[in-house]
Amino acid sequence: MTVPMVDPDADDYQERIADILINKVSGVDHIAFASTDTDCTIEVLSLLGFETAIYKKTVERFNILATKMINVKSDVIEIVEVLDRSKRSPIDNFIKDNQSQVYHVCYKVDDFDKAYRALVALETLVVTKPFESYLFDGYRVSHMHNESIGLFEIFGRIR
């Protein structure tokens, strides 16, 4: 089993993990992989210089296990695996051939509401309505699709 960088049972876990994983400026927040086997994906990414920060956090709402890895440059990778294959999940189509692949790129934005409204005005399809992050308190997330860049996610602080 992979040991995360911060003990998930620590009293200050939420603050410490957010400080490690959330970049302070706008731009690419993380690249997400849909994986058929998180541990195998971790093994490969570890060889490429990434260390596990969050390990297989259960997200019942989406029927997934979420893992976060980071390297010394502060590049963040999210690995998403189906929790229960007998139920639907957002990554079903990405792993239908039993292969792992890039799922989406997440962009951190300074003003979530402003960015969200501007993207909708550009006829960007809302895949998931904005919701509070399942990993970080005080942050909002929305998955979107635009013909120019495909599926992506925006992530920003709740104001």
Side-chain angles (χ1 to χ4, degrees):
M1 179 171 137
T2 302
V3 178
M5 297 170 73
V6 179
D7 181 357
D9 297 324
D11 291 338
D12 60 347
Y13 172 78
Q14 185 62 229
E15 294 83 22
R16 289 179 59 201
I17 205 70
D19 190 51
I20 292 169
L21 292 175
I22 300 174
N23 201 307
K24 307 301 182 247
V25 295
S26 292
V28 172
D29 181 72
H30 66 267
I31 297 172
F33 286 90
S35 178
T36 57
D37 185 332
T38 295
D39 292 320
C40 288
T41 304
I42 287 171
E43 186 176 1
V44 172
L45 290 169
S46 294
L47 294 172
L48 299 174
F50 286 85
E51 184 177 350
T52 303
I54 297 174
Y55 181 72
K56 290 188 176 181
K57 178 174 173 64
T58 300
V59 184
E60 294 281 343
R61 175 182 177 186
F62 294 115
N63 187 35
I64 60 168
L65 297 170
T67 296
K68 294 272 192 171
M69 299 184 78
I70 190 166
N71 67 10
V72 295
K73 289 176 35 185
S74 297
D75 298 323
V76 176
I77 299 288
E78 179 179 72
I79 305 164
V80 180
E81 181 180 351
V82 177
L83 174 63
D84 179 351
R85 289 199 178 218
S86 70
K87 300 176 183 174
R88 290 193 43 79
S89 86
I91 65 167
D92 291 340
N93 287 336
F94 291 89
I95 60 169
K96 65 182 174 197
D97 295 328
N98 212 29
Q99 287 190 65
S100 300
Q101 62 179 296
V102 172
Y103 171 36
H104 67 259
V105 174
C106 175
Y107 300 93
K108 181 178 178 291
V109 295
D110 289 329
D111 187 329
F112 182 91
D113 293 324
K114 181 179 176 183
Y116 180 83
R117 286 190 307 271
L119 287 161
V120 169
L122 289 174
E123 299 182 5
T124 300
L125 174 68
V126 176
V127 177
T128 58
K129 292 181 182 178
F131 61 93
E132 189 163 349
S133 171
Y134 54 83
L135 293 177
F136 304 108
D137 294 339
Y139 286 85
R140 190 173 298 157
V141 175
S142 179
H143 296 86
M144 307 179 94
H145 184 277
N146 185 287
E147 289 183 10
S148 298
I149 64 171
L151 181 67
F152 66 99
E153 175 183 358
I154 60 171
F155 170 81
R157 186 169 286 287
I158 296 172
R159 298 187 189 266

